[in-house]
C-alpha cells in the first residue's frame, strides 16, 4: 500500500487549544467550540426562545420544491436539478409528531422513506391523486406530464405513463391540479390558452379553456368537483365552473403595478362558507385579500416586511392554515417563512407584522454557503393547527410548531 | 474456487442480531456474534448449525471478528466460544476488548440474577472467552495465517467500533458493522480508503430513514433538563461509563455557562474513575476536539459539574445527576431512582436501549408501578427517552460506498421488499450490483481473481519487438511456457523452459507434395514457382536459392521430377510447425497451379 493510511477527521473549529492556562480559559475555549449554543436569545436557546413548541430539522439528499401531503402522515418530495436523475420520495412523518401524549417516550424522530423513484427530468410540481396510488408530476421539459404509481408491497415509485401537453418551447412548464372523483381528471396548463382537463385513465380531454389569451399561469387550484381557480403571473385571477363553457369570475385587467411583478394565489377552503377568501401574493411583497364574489375589488392589501423583490418569483407561495381562523403563511423571498393573522386587516397599503417568522433555514445553514438558502416551499399540517413543513434550496426540510405568543398575555 | 459466499445467520427477518459468515478463497470468517435482545430463549442466538452440523467449529472457522461492544454484535460470543465450542482467534479493537467483558457480565447478571435464567454463560466463561481475543490497532494489517489478513478502519458510532477488511490474495471483503458518517461531539466519522474490495457488506437497518438533526435532539435534551430544574425538580441520567456521558456533560456544562445557571450537576464517582481509566487508554479513539480540550487535564474537571456523594440525593432543590449503570438495573442509578421516582417534578432521561427485565426497560414500556425488594414503587417522575446513538442512514451508506469503491454491495438486516429503492439507487449511482440476502440465505458471488505471473525479460522483449505498445486495459495474448514452482508463477519462452529443464527442443517439419503438370525441367519449374510466388506474396520474403529451391520465409520448396510421369513435376513443400499457417496457405496456392505466362 502506498503511503500510510490516515484516519481523516473533521477539522476542529480552532486550531489550537486554550491559550491561557486554567479552568476559565478552558471554559472560554469550550464556549467557542460550541458557538451554536446561543447567547441569551436566539433560535437555539430553549429557554429564551419560547416561540417554538417543537422543531425538527432534516437533510434530504436533494432540495425539493414540492411538499404534497398523502393523508396526514406522509408527504411527497421531489428533486428539481436539471442535469441529473432526481429522486421522488414518499416520506412518513416521525411517529412522535403524530402523538400528543408521552412524546418523550417515542424515540422515533426520523422520517422514513416509504417509497422512492427516479425522474430523469426536474420536478417542479407534484400532485397526489386522492384514493389511488398515483401521482402526477410536472417539470422541465414542459411538453409532458408524468404519471407514477407506487405499490403496497414494494418501495419503488414507477413511471406509468405520460400526458402530452401543448407547450413546446422554452422554460414554461404546466401547473397541475387534480380533480379527484371516481374517474380522476388532471387539470393542467402553462398558459390560459392551454388549460385542459384530461381524464387520467383514458387520457381523453374532457374540458378545454378554448380561449386565445396566452397569459402565463402561476397556480391552479381545484375547489370542488366542478370548480377550479387559476392565478396568472400577472395577477389575473379567475374561478371557473367546468360545467359551462369558459366564463370565469375574474378580475379582468387588474391594475397591479409594474409589469415585472409576478403573482401567485391560494383560495381558502370552500367549506368555510360562501364567499371564500383568496390571498394573492406578489413578488414585490404585496399581499391582497379578495372575496371570491367580487374579484375586482380586493378587501384589503398590505405590504409584507420582506426583502424585495423575490429573487425567484416562481418559488412564491401563500397558503391558508387549515386549522386556524384567518391565518396564512408566505414564503419565497428569502430563507424565512412568515405567518400572518389577517383578522383585522382592512384597507389598502397598510403595514403589517408577521405573527411568527421561521428563520431555521438560515440559522442551520451548515455549509455556510455564500448565498443564504432560499425557502422553496412550505405547507401546513392538515391536522395539527400550528405545525408547518418547510423546505429550502440547501436540501433542508423542517417541521416546526410555533407558539402563538399572544395567547400567553 | 474464485467465489465469495456470504450467509447472514439467524432466523427470521428480525433485526438486532448480527452474525455473518463469509467464505473467501477457501477461508471462513465469522463477522460479529450478536445476541437478539428481544428473545428469552434460543432464538436470541444465531443459528450456528449453518456453519457445520458435526465438525468442530475451530476446524471450520479461521477466525471470528467482532466490530464493537454493543450486545447485538457480541452478546452471543461467550455462548459461541464456550458452550458451542470454538478455540480459534477472536479479533477486535483494544477498546472493544476492554469494554466487552463488562457489558457481557452486566448482561449475564441481569439474565441470571434478575430473570433467573438457567442455561446461560457464566462469569468464568466470559473470562475464558476473552482469553481467546487478539486485539488489533487501526490500520494495522494483521496476518491471521499466511494467506488471510485483516485490517480495522475507524467506524465512529461508539468507542472502539471498527470496520474490517478481510483479504486473501487479491480478493477482499469489507464489513462495516455499525458506523456513522457524521462526526459527533466525542467521536469522529467513519473513514475508509479506496480499497476497492470485491464486496462491501453493510448494515441497512436505518437505510430508509432520514435522521433528525443532532442539534434538534440536543436542543430538546437541554429543554427538558432546563424545564425540570426550573420548576425545582431533579434530573437523573443513567449512563454507561464512556462516550455519550462525556458528550452530554460537555453540552450541559456549556449551556449552564451560557445561561448562568447555578443548579448543581453531579457525576457519580464510580463513573469518574472508570471513565478516566478508559479515557487514558483510548484517547486516540475519540475525536480531535476532545483530545485538544482535555489533553492535559482530568477530563471531568468541569466548572459546573462536581463529584457526587450519595448523601446529595436527599438534598432539597433541583439538581442533575449522571449515574451508572445505564439501564437502571442495579447500583447507584437505581438507588437514586428509587428516591426520586415518587415526585412528579423529577425526570429520568434514558439515553439508550434497555434490556428486558431491567427497570429501565419497564418504565420505558410505560409501566408505572414497580415491585422492588418486596415493596411497591409508584413512578410519578417523568420518563424520557433520548437516543443519541448514531447509525448510517441512506446518505451515509452512499457516502461509504463512494469512499471504498467496492465491486459489489451487500445489505444485511433490511427487509428486502422495502429496500428495492435503495438498491436501485446504489446500482445506478455506482454501477455496482447490490444484494440483499435474507437471514440464512447464502449469496454466492463469482470473482475473477488476478494471479500475478512473472515474465522473463527475454520473452517480454520479444513481444515488444513485434510492435504494438502494450495497453493497460486491453488484454494481450502471449505464447510461452508457464512454470509453477511453490507459489511462484513464471512465464518464459519455450526455449528457455527447455533449457532450464535440460531438454532438447524437438523440430517438427511437415512436407507436402504438390503435383504440377509441367513438362519442362525441374529448374525451370522452380523458376516459374519463384516468379509466381514473388509476384503473389508481396508481403513475404521470397527467395530463389542457388541450388534451385525457393524459400518463402522459412518454408522450403523444391521441385523434383515425378518418378513415373515425365510431364509431372512434384513440388516438395516443407515447413516447421511454427509456420503451419503459411505452409498450408502456400500448399493451397500451389495446388491451384502456375500461371501460363512464360517466365
Amino acid at each position: 500500500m502506498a503511503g500510510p493510511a490516515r484516519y481523516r477527521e473533521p477539522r476542529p473549529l480552532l486550531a489550537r487549544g486554550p491559550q491561557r492556562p486554567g479552568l476559565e480559559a478552558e471554559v472560554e475555549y469550550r464556549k467557542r467550540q460550541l458557538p451554536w449554543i446561543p447567547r441569551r436569545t436566539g433560535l437555539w436557546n430553549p429557554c429564551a426562545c419560547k416561540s417554538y413548541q417543537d422543531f425538527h430539522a432534516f437533510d434530504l439528499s436533494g432540495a425539493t420544491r414540492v411538499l404534497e401531503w398523502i393523508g396526514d402522515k406522509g408527504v411527497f418530495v421531489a428533486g428539481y436539478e436539471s442535469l441529473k436523475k432526481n429522486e421522488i420520495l414518499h416520506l412518513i412523518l416521525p411517529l412522535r409528531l403524530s402523538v400528543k401524549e408521552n412524546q418523550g417516550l417515542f424515540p422515533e424522530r426520523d422520517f422514513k422513506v416509504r417509497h422512492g423513484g427516479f425522474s430523469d427530468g426536474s420536478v417542479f410540481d407534484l400532485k397526489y391523486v386522492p384514493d389511488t396510488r398515483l401521482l402526477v408530476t410536472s417539470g422541465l421539459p414542459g411538453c409532458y406530464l408524468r404519471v407514477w404509481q407506487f405499490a403496497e408491497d414494494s418501495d419503488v415509485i414507477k413511471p406509468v405513463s405520460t400526458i402530452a401537453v401543448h407547450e413546446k418551447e422554452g422554460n414554461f412548464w404546466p401547473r397541475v391540479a387534480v380533480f379527484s372523483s371516481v374517474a380522476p381528471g388532471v387539470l393542467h396548463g402553462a398558459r390560459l390558452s392551454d388549460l385542459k382537463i384530461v381524464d387520467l385513465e383514458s387520457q381523453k380531454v374532457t374540458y378545454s379553456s378554448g380561449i386565445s389569451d396566452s397569459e402565463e399561469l402561476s397556480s391552479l387550484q381545484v375547489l370542488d368537483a366542478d370548480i377550479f381557480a387559476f392565478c396568472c403571473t400577472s395577477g389575473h385571477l379567475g374561478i371557473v365552473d367546468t360545467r359551462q363553457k369558459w366564463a370565469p369570475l375574474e378580475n379582468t385587467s387588474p391594475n397591479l403595478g409594474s409589469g415585472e411583478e409576478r403573482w401567485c394565489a391560494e383560495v381558502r377552503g370552500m367549506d368555510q362558507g360562501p364567499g371564500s377568501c383568496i390571498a394573492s401574493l406578489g413578488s414585490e411583497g404585496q399581499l391582497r385579500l379578495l372575496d371570491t364574489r367580487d374579484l375586482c375589488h380586493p378587501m384589503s392589501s398590505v405590504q409584507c416586511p420582506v426583502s424585495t423583490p423575490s429573487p425567484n418569483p416562481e418559488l412564491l407561495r401563500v397558503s391558508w392554515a387549515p386549522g386556524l381562523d384567518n391565518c396564512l403563511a408566505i414564503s419565497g423571498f428569502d430563507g424565512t417563512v412568515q405567518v400572518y393573522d389577517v383578522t383585522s386587516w382592512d384597507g389598502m397599503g397598510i403595514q403589517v407584522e408577521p405573527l411568527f417568522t421561521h428563520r431555521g433555514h438560515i440559522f442551520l445553514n451548515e455549509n455556510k454557503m455564500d448565498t443564504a438558502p432560499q425557502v422553496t416551499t412550505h405547507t401546513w399540517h392538515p391536522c395539527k393547527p400550528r405545525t408547518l413543513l418547510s423546505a429550502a434550496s440547501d436540501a433542508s426540510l423542517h417541521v416546526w410548531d410555533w407558539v402563538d405568543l399572544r395567547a400567553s398575555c | 474456487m474464485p467465489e465469495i459466499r456470504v450467509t447472514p445467520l439467524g432466523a427470521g427477518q428480525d433485526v438486532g442480531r448480527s452474525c455473518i459468515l463469509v467464505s473467501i478463497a477457501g477461508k471462513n470468517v465469522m463477522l460479529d456474534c450478536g445476541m437478539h435482545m428481544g428473545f428469552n430463549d434460543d432464538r436470541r442466538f444465531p443459528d450456528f448449525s449453518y456453519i457445520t452440523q458435526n465438525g468442530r467449529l475451530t476446524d471450520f472457522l479461521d477466525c471470528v471478528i467482532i466490530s464493537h461492544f454493543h450486545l447485538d454484535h457480541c452478546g452471543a460470543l461467550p455462548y459461541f466460544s464456550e458452550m458451542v465450542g470454538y478455540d480459534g482467534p477472536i479479533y477486535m479493537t483494544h477498546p472493544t476488548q476492554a469494554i466487552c467483558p463488562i457489558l457481557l457480565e452486566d448482561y449475564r447478571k441481569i439474565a441470571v440474577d434478575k430473570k433467573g435464567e438457567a442455561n446461560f454463560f457464566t462469569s468464568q466463561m466470559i473470562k475464558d472467552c476473552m482469553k481467546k481475543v487478539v486485539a488489533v490497532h487501526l490500520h494495522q494489517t494483521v496476518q491471521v495465517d499466511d494467506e488471510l489478513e485483516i485490517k480495522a478502519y475507524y467506524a465512529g458510532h461508539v468507542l472502539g467500533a471498527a470496520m474490517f477488511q478481510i483479504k486473501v490474495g487479491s480478493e477482499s471483503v469489507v464489513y462495516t458493522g455499525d458506523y456513522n458518517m457524521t462526526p459527533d461531539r466525542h467521536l469522529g466519522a467513519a473513514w475508509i480508503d479506496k480499497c476497492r474490495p470485491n464486496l462491501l457488506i453493510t448494515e441497512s437497518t436505518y437505510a430508509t430513514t432520514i435522521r433528525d438533526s443532532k442539534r434538534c435532539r440536543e436542543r430538546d435534551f437541554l429543554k427538558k433538563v432546563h424545564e425540570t430544574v426550573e420548576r425545582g425538580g431533579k434530573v437523573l441520567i443513567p449512563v454507561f461509563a464512556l462516550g455519550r456521558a462525556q458528550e452530554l456533560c460537555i453540552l450541559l456544562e456549556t449551556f449552564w455557562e451560557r445561561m448562568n445557571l447555578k443548579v448543581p450537576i453531579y457525576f457519580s464517582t464510580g463513573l469518574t474513575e472508570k471513565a478516566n481509566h478508559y479515557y487514558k487508554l483510548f484517547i486516540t479513539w475519540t475525536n480531535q476536539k476532545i483530545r485538544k480540550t482535555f489533553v492535559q487535564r482530568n477530563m471531568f474537571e468541569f466548572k459546573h459539574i462536581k463529584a457526587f456523594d450519595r448523601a446529595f440525593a436527599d438534598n432539597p432543590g433541583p439538581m442533575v445527576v449522571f449515574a451508572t449503570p445505564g439501564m437502571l438495573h442495579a447500583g447507584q442509578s437505581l438507588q437514586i431512582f428509587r428516591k426520586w421516582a415518587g415526585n412528579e417534578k423529577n425526570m429520568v432521561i434514558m439515553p439508550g436501549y434497555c434490556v428486558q427485565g431491567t427497570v429501565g426497560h419497564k418504565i420505558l414500556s410505560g409501566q408505572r408501578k414497580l415491585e422492588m425488594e418486596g415493596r411497591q414503587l409508584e413512578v410519578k417522575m417523568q420518563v424520557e427517552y433520548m437516543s443519541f446513538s448514531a447509525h448510517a442512514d441512506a446518505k451515509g451508506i452512499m457516502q461509504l460506498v463512494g469512499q471504498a469503491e467496492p465491486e459489489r454491495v451487500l445489505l444485511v438486516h433490511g427487509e428486502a421488499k422495502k429496500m428495492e429503492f435503495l438498491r436501485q439507487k446504489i446500482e445506478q449511482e455506482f454501477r455496482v450490483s447490490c444484494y440483499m440476502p435474507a437471514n440464512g440465505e447464502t449469496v454466492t458471488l463469482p470473482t475473477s481473481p488476478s494471479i500475478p505471473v512473472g515474465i522473463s525479460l527475454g520473452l517480454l522483449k520479444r513481444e515488444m519487438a513485434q510492435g504494438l505498445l502494450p495497453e493497460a486495459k486491453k488484454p494481450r495474448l502471449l505464447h510461452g511456457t508457464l512454470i509453477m514452482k511453490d507459489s511462484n508463477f513464471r512465464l518464459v519462452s519455450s526455449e528457455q523452459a527447455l533449457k532450464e529443464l535440460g531438454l532438447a527442443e524437438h523440430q517438427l517439419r511437415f512436407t507436402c507434395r504438390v503435383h504440377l503438370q509441367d513438362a519442362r525441367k525441374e529448374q525451370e519449374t522452380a523458376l516459374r514457382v519463384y516468379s509466381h510466388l514473388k509476384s503473389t506474396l508481396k508481403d513475404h520474403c521470397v527467395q530463389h536459392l542457388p541450388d534451385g529451391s525457393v524459400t518463402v520465409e522459412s518454408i522450403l520448396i523444391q521441385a523434383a521430377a515425378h518418378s513415373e510421369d515425365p510431364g509431372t513435376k512434384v513440388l516438395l513443400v516443407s515447413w516447421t510447425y511454427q509456420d503451419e499457417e503459411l505452409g498450408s496457405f502456400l500448399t493451397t496456392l500451389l495446388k491451384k497451379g502456375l500461371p501460363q505466362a512464360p517466365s
Side-chain angles (χ1 to χ4, degrees):
Chain A
M1 171 137 90
R6 267 177 24 255
Y7 149 55
R8 236 172 291 145
E9 40 189 277
R11 222 182 277 261
L13 286 177
L14 293 179
R16 293 166 307 203
Q19 303 289 64
R20 300 184 324 269
L23 199 50
E24 285 297 335
E26 186 122 328
V27 167
E28 266 306 307
Y29 173 75
R30 255 187 260 134
K31 252 198 251 180
R32 276 172 293 150
Q33 291 283 345
L34 288 168
W36 67 265
I37 294 203
R39 290 151 277 283
R40 314 268 150 170
T41 58
L43 177 72
W44 288 109
N45 191 324
C47 318
C49 181
K50 302 259 186 240
S51 39
Y52 282 98
Q53 186 64 33
D54 218 351
F55 182 359
H56 297 256
F58 302 86
D59 282 311
L60 300 171
S61 51
T64 181
R65 277 169 61 157
V66 160
L67 278 173
E68 170 81 348
W69 287 96
I70 169 169
D72 61 351
K73 298 210 163 48
V75 285
F76 285 99
V77 297
Y80 58 88
E81 288 192 58
S82 43
L83 292 173
K84 55 175 265 205
K85 262 199 192 316
N86 288 288
E87 288 179 2
I88 301 177
L89 302 176
H90 170 198
L91 304 176
I92 305 286
L93 260 63
L95 206 59
R96 81 196 296 273
L97 292 179
S98 317
V99 159
K100 277 208 160 97
E101 300 293 324
N102 283 331
Q103 265 198 338
L105 291 183
F106 282 83
E108 294 286 343
R109 304 171 61 104
D110 306 326
F111 269 101
K112 286 251 179 319
V113 178
R114 177 69 185 89
H115 294 98
F118 296 99
S119 168
D120 286 323
S122 47
V123 178
F124 292 150
D125 199 0
L126 185 154
K127 289 289 186 297
Y128 166 59
V129 182
D131 303 320
T132 67
R133 293 187 182 283
L134 299 171
L135 307 174
V136 181
T137 61
S138 168
L140 287 177
C143 44
Y144 58 86
L145 304 176
R146 270 245 176 89
V147 181
W148 308 77
Q149 188 175 46
F150 54 95
E152 182 62 43
D153 62 349
S154 133
D155 70 338
V156 177
I157 302 178
K158 290 196 252 273
V160 175
S161 59
T162 57
I163 297 174
V165 154
H166 177 71
E167 192 61 44
K168 281 181 289 204
E169 12 91 24
N171 285 330
F172 294 109
W173 50 276
R175 275 40 179 185
V176 181
V178 172
F179 278 96
S180 66
S181 59
V182 176
V186 177
L187 168 68
H188 66 85
R191 302 172 186 282
L192 277 180
S193 47
D194 303 331
L195 266 181
K196 287 184 178 51
I197 301 177
V198 171
D199 179 270
L200 196 55
E201 205 180 304
S202 65
Q203 293 233 4
K204 287 207 171 63
V205 175
T206 56
Y207 179 87
S208 196
S209 68
I211 58 170
S212 56
D213 184 352
S214 64
E215 266 195 282
E216 192 192 337
L217 285 166
S218 69
S219 54
L220 290 173
Q221 188 182 355
V222 163
L223 302 180
D224 70 18
D226 308 294
I227 301 180
F228 72 88
F230 67 81
C231 176
C232 298
T233 55
S234 62
H236 175 188
L237 298 165
I239 299 188
V240 180
D241 189 328
T242 59
R243 291 168 292 197
Q244 329 164 337
K245 211 162 112 71
W246 182 266
L249 297 168
E250 57 190 323
N251 58 346
T252 41
S253 54
N255 181 13
L256 289 165
S258 74
E260 292 301 311
E261 196 165 10
R262 279 181 69 113
W263 292 81
C264 70
E266 179 162 296
V267 180
R268 189 161 59 185
M270 291 289 264
D271 54 337
Q272 290 178 340
S276 195
C277 191
I278 304 186
S280 181
L281 178 68
S283 54
E284 293 291 336
Q286 234 192 347
L287 184 57
R288 295 166 166 241
L289 298 180
L290 303 100
D291 188 317
T292 51
R293 292 168 295 192
D294 183 6
L295 290 176
C296 297
H297 303 102
M299 300 186 298
S300 56
S301 137
V302 306
Q303 181 63 37
C304 298
V306 287
S307 58
T308 57
S310 159
N312 188 352
E314 261 194 21
L315 298 180
L316 283 180
R317 183 134 164 71
V318 57
S319 62
W320 288 97
L324 297 171
D325 290 335
N326 298 327
C327 278
L328 51 75
I330 67 168
S331 68
F333 293 93
D334 50 27
T336 68
V337 180
Q338 294 181 340
V339 179
Y340 290 92
D341 181 337
V342 309
T343 318
S344 50
W345 288 11
D346 199 16
M348 304 295 157
I350 48 180
Q351 297 287 331
V352 290
E353 282 301 315
L355 201 51
F356 182 81
T357 305
H358 173 65
R359 292 196 171 84
H361 293 282
I362 305 176
F363 277 126
L364 274 189
N365 185 14
E366 295 279 341
N367 302 334
K368 306 273 176 286
M369 307 191 300
D370 290 329
T371 49
Q374 198 187 359
V375 170
T376 51
T377 185
H378 71 265
T379 185
W380 291 83
H381 193 289
C383 309
K384 295 166 73 108
R386 268 178 302 277
T387 300
L388 286 99
L389 272 66
S390 57
S393 54
D394 62 354
S396 56
L397 173 64
H398 291 180
V399 183
W400 41 282
D401 193 331
W402 54 280
V403 170
D404 191 344
L405 291 171
R406 301 170 305 178
S408 47
C409 20
Chain B
M1 51 229 117
E3 61 185 23
I4 295 176
R5 288 199 307 275
V6 180
T7 312
L9 294 185
Q13 289 283 352
D14 277 335
V15 175
R17 164 193 30 215
S18 295
C19 186
I20 300 167
L21 272 189
V22 173
S23 176
I24 171 172
K27 301 287 173 188
N28 298 318
V29 177
M30 179 190 279
L31 301 168
D32 279 340
C33 192
M35 164 116 65
H36 193 301
M37 313 296 276
F39 292 121
N40 288 334
D41 50 27
D42 280 347
R43 284 175 300 173
R44 65 177 144 205
F45 299 125
D47 189 352
F48 297 120
S49 64
Y50 271 104
I51 307 177
T52 170
Q53 296 282 351
N54 41 23
R56 282 185 5 107
L57 285 176
T58 313
D59 296 334
F60 185 83
L61 284 176
D62 291 281
C63 70
V64 173
I65 297 176
I66 303 291
S67 61
H68 64 288
F69 61 67
H70 276 159
L71 287 173
D72 56 345
H73 288 256
C74 71
L77 194 60
Y79 168 80
F80 171 72
S81 76
E82 305 310 305
M83 293 169 81
V84 178
Y86 169 75
D87 297 315
I90 302 173
Y91 292 96
M92 56 179 77
T93 59
H94 288 272
T96 312
Q97 182 189 32
I99 299 170
C100 237
I102 300 173
L103 285 181
L104 286 170
E105 179 57 32
D106 262 1
Y107 183 61
R108 191 205 65 78
K109 266 196 234 162
I110 296 169
V112 175
D113 302 343
K114 298 275 166 205
K115 298 198 282 180
E117 288 201 34
N119 198 27
F120 211 81
F121 49 80
T122 62
S123 294
Q124 187 57 41
M125 285 183 189
I126 297 175
K127 293 197 180 100
D128 292 337
C129 169
M130 295 311 289
K131 286 194 195 126
K132 299 172 185 169
V133 168
V134 178
V136 302
H137 293 285
L138 277 183
H139 304 162
Q140 171 198 13
T141 302
V142 174
Q143 294 289 141
V144 177
D145 59 33
D146 53 10
E147 285 166 316
L148 173 64
E149 57 185 51
I150 63 173
K151 180 154 68 162
Y153 288 92
Y154 192 81
H157 184 57
V158 289
L159 199 74
M163 309 188 285
F164 280 89
Q165 179 192 35
I166 300 126
K167 204 163 166 182
V168 180
S170 62
E171 290 176 39
S172 66
V173 171
V174 169
Y175 171 61
T176 63
D178 286 341
Y179 62 101
N180 184 26
M181 297 302 289
T182 47
D184 61 28
R185 293 188 192 287
H186 78 290
L187 290 174
W191 179 85
I192 193 167
D193 53 11
K194 255 199 229 307
C195 50
R196 297 213 172 98
N198 296 88
L199 179 67
L200 175 73
I201 303 175
T202 176
E203 304 256 344
S204 53
T205 322
Y206 292 88
T208 49
T209 59
I210 296 181
R211 295 190 60 93
D212 185 8
S213 92
K214 201 158 67 84
R215 285 186 185 178
C216 286
R217 291 170 197 253
E218 290 177 342
R219 179 183 177 274
D220 275 359
F221 170 72
L222 291 174
K223 187 171 167 189
K224 292 203 189 314
V225 172
H226 187 253
E227 275 168 4
T228 307
V229 299
E230 280 270 274
R231 59 168 183 247
K234 298 173 165 59
V235 182
L236 171 65
I237 308 174
V239 286
F240 177 64
L242 263 173
R244 283 316 142 196
Q246 191 179 15
E247 194 158 309
L248 297 177
C249 279
I250 297 173
L251 206 56
L252 276 186
E253 165 88 0
T254 317
F255 185 63
W256 249 239
E257 184 66 25
R258 282 246 188 257
M259 300 299 296
N260 205 16
L261 297 173
K262 304 292 177 209
V263 171
I265 311 177
Y266 299 112
F267 240 134
S268 63
T269 40
L271 214 92
T272 322
E273 282 156 19
K274 261 196 218 153
N276 259 330
H277 165 68
Y278 287 124
Y279 168 77
K280 286 200 180 87
L281 277 181
F282 305 123
I283 182 65
T284 47
W285 282 83
T286 64
N287 75 15
Q288 203 166 18
K289 275 189 212 158
I290 300 291
R291 265 182 279 162
K292 287 196 148 78
T293 311
F294 295 113
V295 69
Q296 268 135 23
R297 12 192 30 164
N298 178 344
M299 89 168 161
F300 289 104
E301 201 169 313
F302 289 99
K303 187 171 167 185
H304 299 277
I305 307 183
K306 308 263 180 277
F308 186 67
D309 185 289
R310 76 165 75 171
F312 294 170
D314 297 316
N315 285 0
M319 69 175 80
V320 181
V321 175
F322 289 89
T324 54
M327 298 184 218
L328 282 185
H329 55 280
Q332 194 164 61
S333 60
L334 186 60
Q335 272 178 22
I336 300 171
F337 172 75
R338 283 163 65 182
K339 287 200 172 147
W340 296 357
N343 189 340
E344 67 243 344
K345 281 202 259 182
N346 296 340
M347 176 185 284
V348 60
I349 302 182
M350 306 300 299
Y353 180 85
C354 293
V355 171
Q356 228 179 9
T358 56
V359 170
H361 187 268
K362 288 182 183 151
I363 58 177
L364 280 180
S365 316
Q367 208 174 327
R368 287 296 173 262
K369 290 204 201 316
L370 303 171
E371 179 138 337
M372 274 199 251
E373 287 176 10
R375 276 188 299 189
Q376 268 248 343
L377 180 69
E378 197 175 339
V379 180
K380 289 196 189 140
M381 76 193 305
Q382 276 191 271
V383 178
E384 294 283 339
Y385 178 98
M386 187 128 313
S387 168
F388 282 95
S389 109
H391 288 258
D393 56 6
K395 196 166 160 186
I397 294 176
M398 300 295 280
Q399 266 181 295
L400 191 74
V401 175
Q403 272 186 18
E405 289 193 12
E407 262 177 39
R408 299 181 181 93
V409 174
L410 192 134
L411 304 173
V412 285
H413 282 155
E415 290 179 53
K417 289 185 302 215
K418 298 216 178 117
M419 308 289 295
E420 187 57 36
F421 174 61
L422 177 66
R423 175 208 262 190
Q424 282 186 12
K425 202 166 147 162
I426 294 176
E427 287 184 344
Q428 277 183 23
E429 175 93 18
F430 300 110
R431 302 195 196 291
V432 297
S433 316
C434 190
Y435 303 87
M436 300 181 300
N439 284 340
E441 184 191 325
T442 303
V443 172
T444 307
L445 306 167
T447 57
S448 34
S450 56
I451 305 169
V453 171
I455 181 170
S456 79
L457 204 54
L459 186 59
L460 189 60
K461 280 189 180 161
R462 189 202 291 183
E463 287 298 318
M464 300 278 279
Q466 289 198 2
L468 295 179
L469 291 169
E471 271 179 75
K473 302 229 164 112
K474 259 182 158 178
R476 176 85 175 264
L477 201 60
L478 289 180
H479 281 121
T481 307
L482 184 68
I483 303 182
M484 297 191 279
K485 199 170 171 190
D486 301 323
S487 300
N488 214 349
F489 296 90
R490 277 165 55 225
L491 190 68
V492 299
S493 63
S494 319
E495 297 85 16
Q496 188 174 342
L498 286 168
K499 207 159 94 180
E500 286 189 23
L501 291 169
L503 296 171
E505 189 176 356
H506 284 92
Q507 287 286 331
L508 279 175
R509 267 198 106 75
F510 299 100
T511 309
C512 190
R513 287 164 198 268
V514 179
H515 293 253
L516 286 178
Q517 290 298 330
D518 193 352
R520 285 167 280 199
K521 292 197 260 194
E522 291 97 81
Q523 290 90 323
E524 284 177 36
T525 312
L527 197 58
R528 280 181 66 199
V529 168
Y530 167 69
S531 314
H532 174 53
L533 291 180
K534 183 94 185 171
S535 56
T536 315
L537 300 175
K538 300 232 165 46
D539 292 331
H540 297 273
C541 175
V542 185
Q543 287 180 311
H544 193 190
L545 297 181
D547 68 354
S549 54
V550 180
T551 60
V552 179
E553 306 277 336
S554 62
I555 299 173
L556 188 63
I557 306 171
Q558 287 169 314
H562 194 274
S563 50
E564 282 142 34
D565 179 8
T568 306
K569 294 291 171 295
V570 180
L571 291 179
L572 294 165
V573 189
S574 87
W575 60 88
T576 60
Y577 84 97
Q578 281 109 333
D579 293 319
E580 166 69 41
E581 234 179 272
L582 188 55
S584 321
F585 172 67
L586 270 182
T587 316
T588 318
L589 181 63
L590 289 171
K591 276 187 181 159
K592 288 187 188 151
L594 295 172
Q596 288 304 315
S599 50

